[in-house]
Amino acid sequence: GGAVPLSTGGGGVVVPGTGVPAPAITTVSNAASHAAGPVAPGEILIVAGNSLADAAPNSAQITSAGLVAASLGATTVLFDDVPAPLLYATVNQLSAIVPYEVSGQARTSIQVEYQGVRSAPLTVAVAPTFPGIFTLNGAGAGQGAIVNQDGTINGPDTPAARGEVISIFGTGEGQTVPLGVDGIIVTAADLRRPLQAVTVSIGGQTAEVLYAGSAGDQVAGLLQINARIPLGIAPSTVAPVTIAIGGSSPAGVTMAVQ
């Protein structure tokens, strides 16, 4: 809205630059599975690219309203001009949560704004769900981010027993009941459950799902599923784990069963 001086040269007008390189988006993927594809309401994403944020990393901040902030440093991520909650931001990678406002849309346009300069829009498809399971190595495959019934982290040294209840953590469950709120920290008194049915497979067998919904005292978009390990699984095994909410999570995630 401010006036700026313009000069002419070579038959054209020379517009002064900002001195800030424009951010660029290269890939968008599910933060748990690292799978590229459509985005779902409330899904935690990884956005990779160039010149996305300050040189010094920024971590999630809570606003005075108790919400995860939609800007970190000088960085904002927009879905059809709706700011998304941000979990962290670095020069080449950031994590954003898809606003629930995209529910029901066929596609959405994603832009990163850094120091007032916006990237070219990246248009991606929107799906009702796009589930993925978090892993301990953060690579999208391998030992899942799974908590045993006794509160220990599942792994080769701390396997779970058949018949016990485990907690699986993921994202991409889509819209919830009650309706999702962007950036809200969900309390135990205000848990939200996926609109679509949730099933779990452990070791190729269907597991009983006792709870599926938001994780207490965590940001909306982080999914917790409590499931009972089937008794028919062979002991002393590394068992594959998948979740299905509409579509299924990618293969490659495992857990230890004794």
Side-chain angles (χ1 to χ4, degrees):
V4 296
L6 300 178
S7 59
T8 59
V13 175
V14 180
V15 181
T18 63
V20 177
I25 301 173
T26 54
T27 60
V28 174
S29 58
N30 183 292
S33 67
H34 290 230
V39 300
E43 179 187 357
I44 303 174
L45 296 179
I46 292 176
V47 179
N50 302 302
S51 304
L52 302 178
D54 301 331
N58 286 296
S59 299
Q61 299 176 1
I62 305 298
T63 69
S64 58
L67 304 175
V68 172
S71 62
L72 286 179
T75 298
T76 305
V77 180
L78 304 140
F79 290 72
D80 300 323
D81 291 327
V82 176
L86 293 179
L87 300 180
Y88 67 81
T90 66
V91 173
N92 297 320
Q93 182 174 292
L94 56 82
S95 182
I97 304 175
V98 181
Y100 287 99
E101 285 84 347
V102 306
S103 295
Q105 297 179 196
R107 58 190 59 83
T108 185
S109 178
I110 306 173
Q111 287 182 286
V112 175
E113 181 176 303
Y114 176 57
Q115 293 190 11
V117 180
R118 289 193 183 187
S119 68
L122 175 67
T123 300
V124 299
V126 175
T129 65
F130 193 58
I133 301 173
F134 285 101
T135 57
L136 294 186
N137 61 13
Q143 172 64 50
I146 296 171
V147 177
N148 295 327
Q149 186 168 302
D150 63 3
T152 59
I153 304 299
N154 184 265
D157 297 329
T158 51
R162 292 168 293 171
E164 289 187 343
V165 176
I166 56 168
S167 296
I168 305 165
F169 292 89
T171 191
E173 72 272 24
Q175 187 56 273
T176 62
V177 180
L179 292 177
V181 177
D182 297 339
I184 191 174
I185 303 298
V186 183
T187 65
D190 190 30
L191 298 175
R192 285 154 161 75
R193 296 173 182 265
L195 273 176
Q196 299 202 31
V198 178
T199 60
V200 174
S201 173
I202 301 175
Q205 300 185 27
T206 300
E208 178 189 4
V209 175
L210 288 82
Y211 168 80
S214 45
D217 298 322
Q218 299 295 327
V219 67
L222 179 63
L223 172 68
Q224 177 177 334
I225 302 173
N226 297 343
R228 190 179 304 278
I229 301 171
L231 294 174
I233 294 178
S236 303
T237 186
V238 175
V241 181
T242 59
I243 61 175
I245 312 168
S248 179
S249 63
V253 178
T254 61
M255 67 167 294
V257 179
Q258 67 181 7

